Amino acid sequence: MATTSDIRKGMCINFNHDTYKIIEFLHVKPGKGPAFVRTKLKSVTTGKVLDNTFSAGHKIDEVRVETRTYQYLYDDDNGFHFMNNDDYSQVYINKELIENPQFMKPGENVTILFRADDEMPLSAELPNSVVMEITHTEPGLKGDTATNATKPATTETGAEIRVPLFINEGDRVRINTDDGSYQERMKD
């Protein structure tokens, strides 16, 4: 059994008869009254996000998880299919369990968390950033690099992002998968 002092981002716990992943947490020690931990939890079975506050020293039931690297193959109406590069076994994950799936390209490697007890896949985590080609955007004007103005663009996977005005169709850009923000243009 763990306590609230062991809470960290990405930790999985059993809470209210379900398995939750901690997305955010904040230890709060007010000037008056006991300390507590404010958390944002995401259900790994339904994808539902809820806020909860634990009092300091509260016992929590930690779920042991294992991470493995899988290759993204394809998606269908219900979810996504991945393949283990070592033994070529395949695993299926619901759409709700993946954050920002619009940034996944077939052939891309992702990290999948499995519950150690029953080998159930809990979630898939994309790399911190991905490189994608811009398939559609309005043409930029020469000299429009002094301001931080942005324009909409569509990537090869169909994701909509905002890019600087100097980015054109066919350019390859690095994108932050957490918030979908443009990071840099890649050199060829």
Side-chain angles (χ1 to χ4, degrees):
M1 279 293 220
T3 64
T4 54
S5 62
D6 300 321
I7 288 179
R8 63 193 179 283
K9 186 177 178 181
M11 178 182 188
C12 292
I13 62 172
N14 280 328
F15 180 71
N16 284 353
H17 310 293
D18 198 1
T19 303
Y20 286 88
K21 183 177 178 182
I22 296 174
I23 301 172
E24 296 175 8
F25 72 97
L26 178 66
H27 287 277
V28 180
K29 186 166 170 55
K32 186 177 183 182
F36 57 90
V37 179
R38 192 174 292 136
T39 60
K40 186 175 279 191
L41 307 170
K42 181 177 182 179
S43 171
V44 296
T45 54
T46 63
K48 183 178 172 185
V49 176
L50 62 95
D51 294 319
N52 189 52
T53 302
F54 295 102
S55 57
H58 182 83
K59 302 271 189 226
I60 54 176
D61 186 14
E62 184 177 4
V63 176
R64 213 176 101 237
V65 294
E66 296 176 355
T67 60
R68 298 184 199 130
T69 303
Y70 276 68
Q71 183 181 27
Y72 168 55
L73 296 176
Y74 64 93
D75 65 312
D76 57 21
D77 294 338
N78 300 324
F80 297 89
H81 297 268
F82 299 91
M83 178 183 69
N84 187 334
N85 290 329
D86 297 331
D87 62 5
Y88 305 109
S89 62
Q90 292 188 15
V91 67
Y92 168 82
I93 297 182
N94 288 331
K95 289 184 178 187
E96 296 86 29
L97 302 181
I98 302 174
E99 290 184 41
N100 299 324
Q102 68 271 21
F103 297 121
M104 284 194 312
K105 295 189 297 190
E108 185 101 12
N109 285 335
V110 298
T111 303
I112 298 182
L113 277 85
F114 289 90
R115 186 171 24 206
D117 300 340
D118 58 1
E119 293 292 319
M120 179 184 156
L122 299 176
S123 68
E125 296 177 354
L126 281 70
N128 292 336
S129 63
V130 293
V131 176
M132 292 196 167
E133 184 176 330
I134 300 298
T135 57
H136 176 72
T137 187
E138 298 299 320
L141 301 173
K142 193 167 185 117
D144 272 345
T145 58
T147 63
N148 285 339
T150 60
K151 61 183 179 179
T154 306
T155 66
E156 61 190 280
T157 60
E160 294 283 331
I161 62 168
R162 305 280 308 168
V163 296
L165 298 175
F166 59 84
I167 299 293
N168 296 311
E169 288 182 12
D171 286 351
R172 293 169 30 90
V173 297
R174 183 177 306 279
I175 302 168
N176 182 345
T177 57
D178 287 337
D179 57 6
S181 63
Y182 164 88
Q183 288 183 322
E184 65 178 334
R185 179 169 55 179
M186 303 304 294
K187 307 279 189 252
D188 288 331

